[in-house]
Amino acid sequence: MLQCHYHCCRQLLTVRSFTINCWAAAVIMRSFTSNDRKVQRIYDCIIGGKRHGLAEGITLVESTHSKKKKQAQELLTAVLAKLKVREDNARRTNTFRIGLTGPPGAGKSTLIEALGKHLTAKDHKVAVLAVDPSSSLTGGVGQSEYAVADMVDMFVLIVPPAGGDELQGLKRGIVEMADLILVNKSDGELLIPARRMKAEYTSAMKLLRKRSKIWIPKVLKLSSKTKEGLPEAWDKMCEFKSVMTESGDLIRKRQRQQTVWMWNHIRENIMDIFKSNTNVANSVNEIEREVGLGVLTPGHGADLLLQLFRLGVQENKL
């Protein structure tokens, strides 16, 4: 089974990951039974391949309610344990997570649809996860793409043939992170500009810092409209997966990502605890106002809030 997770441009995803003890995972997988009927039901649906169970599971994981967060943790631990046992038995990973990003106008949605149909026609199972944040991001590609890169096995940058204003927001760091660059819309009148864009990116990639000793990022052109170049793009993605798997880099990358998201989860919860502190809640608006007006420096404002937080913690202990 092959699953591809596509992450669109301008997305801000919150993914909660939990470190799983291998011994505990094995015990869980012998017979997973939850005292929570809801968790058990969703787990059975997900393992049984029912889509509505996956949708309900995603909703549960996204919840900020304390009870539902505990349910989500139990569910994720069990599901990930099941996946780990399957992969250990097969001695390979049976999922492939691909992150797609790019500036507005690059044709990401059309490409995702075309590639998805190409894969389902080959009997692959495809899952698409796309979230468009309500907050605007300057230039179309922002900090969220760095977060996406830490969620996926392969990071793919999609660019349009023309190099006008739509590419001004592309940061060098985003290009450096790309494992593959696809020049989309390579058809009709845009065919010649697409060839030129491919050549320019190919030359630029040679000057950028190398992220891997075993993989050199490639630049390909394709058309989501005519499907020309689409099979070659998928073949290149498969080549990446094969090379990274055989070297062991794919597993090491996923292990590092798990650690990164563990600390992200800790930071998220620490901020929730900090903001819910009564002393902080009562003073934060005024301190923010004074920092904004220049009455307080950002560092002084932070120190005041931290002092109020510590005071609140001490008061709760009494």
Side-chain angles (χ1 to χ4, degrees):
M1 180 182 69
L2 181 62
Q3 288 183 319
C4 300
H5 298 267
Y6 298 100
H7 303 272
C8 287
C9 172
R10 303 184 65 188
Q11 58 180 253
L12 188 59
L13 304 178
T14 301
V15 175
R16 296 180 172 85
S17 299
F18 301 92
T19 302
I20 303 176
N21 180 278
C22 294
W23 176 84
V27 172
I28 290 173
M29 281 317 305
R30 290 192 187 103
S31 178
F32 173 71
T33 303
S34 174
N35 294 325
D36 190 305
R37 293 183 178 180
K38 181 176 183 179
V39 173
Q40 185 70 56
R41 175 175 55 79
I42 297 176
Y43 171 85
D44 291 338
C45 287
I46 291 175
I47 299 304
K50 298 179 180 178
R51 294 183 181 180
H52 67 85
L54 180 60
E56 193 171 356
I58 292 174
T59 300
L60 184 64
V61 170
E62 291 179 336
S63 175
T64 57
H65 189 277
S66 58
K67 179 181 178 180
K68 292 183 178 180
K69 287 175 70 173
K70 291 181 180 179
Q71 291 175 322
Q73 181 173 1
E74 183 182 4
L75 176 65
L76 281 175
T77 300
V79 171
L80 292 177
K82 176 72 171 180
L83 178 62
K84 187 178 189 307
V85 171
R86 284 181 177 177
E87 293 183 344
D88 287 346
N89 291 337
R91 295 185 178 181
R92 64 180 176 84
T93 175
N94 59 359
T95 60
F96 187 23
R97 302 175 300 188
I98 304 172
L100 297 182
T101 189
K108 298 177 294 298
S109 298
T110 307
L111 177 57
I112 289 172
E113 182 179 0
L115 185 56
K117 289 181 177 179
H118 177 75
L119 296 178
T120 54
K122 293 178 175 291
D123 294 327
H124 292 312
K125 291 186 178 180
V126 179
V128 180
L129 178 60
V131 178
D132 188 8
S134 57
S135 58
S136 60
L137 296 174
T138 304
V141 181
Q143 293 298 319
S144 60
E145 275 59 43
Y146 289 91
V148 171
D150 273 326
M151 298 178 193
V152 298
D153 302 322
M154 186 178 195
F155 190 65
V156 180
L157 176 63
I158 307 169
V159 295
D165 294 337
E166 64 271 19
L167 294 182
Q168 294 302 313
L170 279 179
K171 299 179 180 179
R172 176 173 175 172
I174 299 295
V175 178
E176 285 183 336
M177 288 192 303
D179 300 303
L180 176 66
I181 296 179
L182 299 178
V183 181
N184 196 15
K185 300 183 179 181
S186 178
D187 54 64
E189 296 180 353
L190 295 177
L191 183 58
I192 294 178
R195 291 173 180 168
R196 183 172 60 250
M197 184 64 69
K198 178 188 174 183
E200 291 177 359
Y201 269 98
T202 300
S203 299
M205 294 299 287
K206 296 178 181 178
L207 304 176
L208 298 178
R209 176 176 56 89
K210 301 296 185 294
R211 296 175 54 244
S212 173
K213 295 180 180 179
I214 62 173
W215 179 259
I216 299 176
K218 308 296 191 301
V219 182
L220 302 177
K221 60 183 180 65
L222 56 76
S223 170
S224 301
K225 181 180 179 180
T226 66
K227 311 301 185 296
E228 184 176 353
L230 190 62
E232 290 78 7
W234 172 242
D235 288 342
K236 190 60 64 177
M237 294 176 190
C238 291
E239 180 186 343
F240 173 87
K241 182 176 184 290
S242 177
V243 169
M244 298 297 282
T245 299
E246 291 177 4
S247 68
D249 282 10
L250 183 61
I251 295 300
R252 287 189 288 270
K253 182 177 184 179
R254 288 189 175 188
Q255 291 172 343
R256 180 187 61 81
Q257 289 174 340
Q258 290 288 85
T259 303
V260 168
W261 283 98
M262 179 190 73
W263 284 108
N264 286 345
H265 188 66
I266 290 173
R267 293 187 189 96
E268 178 184 319
N269 280 274
I270 287 177
M271 284 301 298
D272 288 341
I273 294 171
F274 181 81
K275 291 180 179 180
S276 64
N277 182 278
T278 303
N279 289 352
V280 172
N282 290 338
S283 304
V284 66
N285 290 337
E286 179 61 22
I287 292 177
E288 281 185 343
R289 187 185 70 83
E290 293 185 356
V291 169
L293 293 174
V295 177
L296 296 175
T297 65
H300 190 189
D303 288 340
L304 289 176
L305 288 174
L306 288 169
Q307 290 173 10
L308 290 170
F309 175 76
R310 296 189 187 99
L311 180 61
V313 172
Q314 293 174 356
E315 290 174 347
N316 289 332
K317 290 181 178 180
L318 298 177

